[in-house]
Amino acid sequence: MANEEECRGALDRISRRLAEVDGDRLAEHIVERTISCRITDLRLAYLTRIHAGGLDPFELTDTPEDAQVRLTVASDDLVALAHDELNPAKAWASGRLKIEASFLDLLRLRKLL
């Protein structure tokens, strides 16, 4: 099981990777949304906001259910996703990554993954 520091590093790595996406492409597929990432085995949740400029810093939250896009993942899987050792689509299809979002938000996310 990954620890809190490793998960925080994984979230930061994902943020940096998103910052590398071409600004025009990002603006084309992104609308402002709040995103939570609940890490089940550590009983932690982080909240951020995505917008045309990228992701705001992740902050701990007690209310991940309030986000417009909600991700749920185990700590080891989060770290594997951040290091490209686990494909997001396969993780979602196998139930290792759960995503709760509107249909349109799911389509937008798919284009960035």
Side-chain angles (χ1 to χ4, degrees), residues 34-38 44-47 61-71:
T34 54
I35 299 175
S36 67
C37 180
R38 191 167 62 92
L44 293 173
Y46 290 90
L47 184 69
T61 184
D62 292 329
T63 56
E65 64 278 356
D66 291 345
Q68 294 163 305
V69 177
R70 295 168 302 283
L71 309 174

Side-chain angles (χ1 to χ4, degrees), residues 7-26:
C7 289
R8 182 60 192 223
L11 292 170
D12 290 342
R13 184 179 180 102
I14 291 167
S15 291
R16 285 192 308 272
R17 192 174 337 155
L18 189 60
E20 294 171 0
V21 173
D22 176 68
D24 291 336
R25 180 173 177 230
L26 191 62

Side-chain angles (χ1 to χ4, degrees), residues 2-5 7-8 37-46 60-62 64 71 73:
N3 62 36
E4 181 176 352
E5 184 177 319
C7 289
R8 182 60 192 223
C37 180
R38 191 167 62 92
I39 305 166
T40 54
D41 51 335
L42 295 180
R43 297 183 182 174
L44 293 173
Y46 290 90
L60 282 171
T61 184
D62 292 329
L71 309 174
V73 66

